[in-house]
Amino acid sequence: MRLGVLDVGSNTVHLLVVDAHRGAQPTPMSSIKTMLRLAEQLDRNGRLTKAGADNLVRTVAAAKHEAAKLGCDDLMAFATSAVREAGNSAAVLNRVRKETGVDLKVLSGSDEARYTFLAVRRWFGWSAGRLLVVDIGGGSLELATGMDEDPELAFSVPLGAGRLTRTRFRHDPPQQREIRAMREWLTEELAEVTRVLRKSGVPDRAVASSKTFRTLARLTGAAPSSAGPRVSRVLTDSGLRQLIAFISRMSAADLADLEGVSASRAHQLVAGALVAEATMRALSLPQLEICPWALREGVILRRLDQTDGDDHTVSDLGGAETTNGSGPDAGQEQGHNTGRMGQHGARWNQ
C-alpha cells in the first residue's frame, strides 16, 4: 500500500509518501515540504487572511496532484494548530474541500500528543517502559506519558516556538530582558501541567521528537542526519543552557548559517530552545533522547493498524474536542486500553 500523508502545520505543509504494510516499518518514498507560515498569516482578529487561504488551497491542490503521480492509494490530510485556531477555520476547510477535493481533518492538541506518543512507543518498543514524550511545534507544545501505546495523560499547551517568537519577542536578536521575562513566564505557564505529569510517575525513558528538538540536539553535538535515524542522539540540560547563551545573541540571519538550522525556522530557534529548557527544568529531566518519528509517523501507524479490514475503532481522527489551555484538564485525554493491554486500532474516516 502506498500512503500519502499531508501535514498542514503552523510553518510548513509537508507531503510524505510511504510504502506501508501492516506489521512492517513504513518506507519513505518521497518527502515534499512547502513553507507557508500559516500562523503568521492570521489577521488581528485571528482569522486566516485571504492570501493565506489562497496559498493553502494552491498548496493542497499541488500536493494532491503529486500524491496521485506517485501512485498513492490513500491520501490522509490533517491540519494542526494554525488552522485549528483560526477564527474562520470552518470556512477555510470548506473552501479547501470544494476547490481541491481534499477533506482536511483538524487534529485537536491532545490528538497530536497521542499520535506522536504512538510513534515514539513503536520506535523504542515495550522495553522502554514508562515513556514521557515532549514535542515542540510551531504553535503548541505537546506532552504525553504512559506505559501503553496510547498515553495515560496527553496535554497540548499553546507554547509553540513560532507562536512565542511572534508574541514574546520584539527584537532580533531578542534582548536579554526579553529572554529573562520569557523564562519566568514559561515557568508559570508550565507549572500545573508538569505537576500533573510528575504525579503520574518517573519515566523510564524521556523522549523528544520534532524538528526543533532535532536541531537543538545537533547544535549541542549530536550526530547529523546523514548518520542515519538509528544513531543515538540526546539533548542534555547542560548542553542546552550553553547553547542558549550562544544563540540568544545571534540574529535570525546568523542562526540560519549554522549547520543543521534551516533558514525557514531560524527565527524561532531561540524561543524553541527556551521552551525546551523550561520543560526539562520543570520535569527535572537531565536529558532527552531524540526520536526520529513523530506526528506523521503516528498517523501512518494508526492507519496501518486497520489494513486487516477489521473494524475495531478507537477514535475518529480529529474527533476530540479542541482545547488550548494550560491547566491540568486542558488538552488532556485519558488513554485507551490498547497495544499489549487490548485490541489496538483506529480508522481514518474519509
Side-chain angles (χ1 to χ4, degrees):
M1 178 191 302
R2 185 161 294 180
L3 295 178
V5 178
L6 184 61
D7 176 0
V8 178
S10 297
N11 291 312
T12 62
V13 175
H14 187 181
L15 173 65
L16 179 65
V17 177
V18 299
D19 270 342
H21 303 278
R22 184 178 175 86
Q25 180 172 312
T27 303
M29 301 295 296
S30 180
S31 177
I32 303 171
K33 296 182 181 180
T34 304
M35 181 57 59
L36 286 190
R37 292 187 180 176
L38 288 178
E40 297 178 17
Q41 298 185 56
L42 301 176
D43 63 23
R44 65 181 60 188
N45 296 315
R47 297 168 62 87
L48 188 63
T49 63
K50 184 179 183 303
D54 289 344
N55 289 335
L56 177 60
V57 169
R58 283 194 295 269
T59 303
V60 170
K64 179 183 178 182
H65 177 70
E66 189 63 28
K69 282 174 53 181
L70 293 168
C72 288
D73 302 293
D74 195 1
L75 178 63
M76 302 177 294
F78 63 88
T80 55
S81 62
V83 174
R84 180 171 70 230
E85 297 170 13
N88 56 342
S89 175
V92 170
L93 292 171
N94 187 52
R95 183 181 166 193
V96 170
R97 187 181 305 112
K98 285 184 175 180
E99 297 187 26
T100 71
V102 174
D103 190 7
L104 194 59
K105 305 292 184 181
V106 177
L107 296 185
S108 71
S110 60
D111 279 336
E112 288 189 55
R114 287 173 49 235
Y115 290 124
T116 301
F117 187 90
L118 171 63
V120 174
R121 170 62 73 192
R122 293 281 179 93
W123 181 266
F124 285 105
W126 294 116
S127 63
R130 173 172 289 279
L131 283 174
L132 173 65
V133 177
V134 185
D135 186 290
I136 299 174
S140 58
L141 164 71
E142 274 70 53
L143 306 102
T145 189
M147 291 287 293
D148 203 352
E149 288 198 330
D150 223 29
E152 297 162 13
L153 297 171
F155 293 95
S156 180
V157 288
L159 300 178
R163 181 197 299 270
L164 298 192
T165 300
R166 294 190 307 275
T167 60
R168 307 293 300 187
F169 291 156
R170 295 183 180 274
H171 302 87
D172 178 27
Q175 295 181 348
Q176 287 304 301
R177 61 180 178 81
E178 291 178 312
I179 299 290
R180 289 193 297 272
M182 171 89 86
R183 280 182 162 132
E184 294 174 3
W185 179 77
L186 283 170
T187 297
E188 296 175 0
E189 291 296 302
L190 285 167
E192 186 63 12
V193 170
T194 53
R195 181 188 66 80
V196 175
L197 285 168
R198 289 169 70 105
K199 286 177 63 178
S200 69
V202 178
D204 297 300
R205 213 157 190 166
V207 180
S209 63
S210 76
K211 176 65 173 177
T212 295
F213 275 115
R214 290 195 297 272
T215 300
L216 294 173
R218 176 71 188 108
L219 290 173
T220 56
S225 58
S226 59
R230 294 291 177 183
V231 175
S232 176
R233 296 173 174 87
V234 299
L235 175 66
T236 65
D237 57 352
S238 58
L240 181 58
R241 284 195 299 271
Q242 293 175 22
L243 178 65
I244 291 172
F246 175 63
I247 64 175
S248 63
R249 291 175 168 80
M250 300 175 67
S251 68
D254 289 335
L255 288 173
D257 289 333
L258 297 177
E259 182 182 358
V261 179
S262 62
S264 60
R265 295 175 181 267
H267 68 293
Q268 62 187 46
L269 183 62
V270 174
L274 290 171
V275 173
E277 177 195 46
T279 303
M280 294 176 73
R281 182 173 60 247
L283 292 169
S284 301
L285 301 174
Q287 72 172 35
L288 288 165
E289 297 181 71
I290 306 301
C291 180
W293 280 4
L295 176 61
R296 282 180 293 275
E297 287 78 11
V299 167
I300 292 169
L301 291 166
R302 277 289 173 97
R303 175 65 176 84
L304 292 181
D305 285 345
Q306 287 301 306
T307 57
D308 60 355
D310 293 338
D311 186 3
H312 35 148
T313 302
V314 171
S315 66
D316 295 339
L317 185 79
E321 182 179 353
T322 299
T323 54
N324 297 308
S326 58
D329 298 321
Q332 176 184 344
E333 184 168 314
Q334 297 296 332
H336 301 284
N337 248 1
T338 61
R340 58 183 179 179
M341 299 180 186
Q343 192 83 9
H344 177 61
R347 181 178 301 282
W348 185 288
N349 288 348
Q350 296 296 332

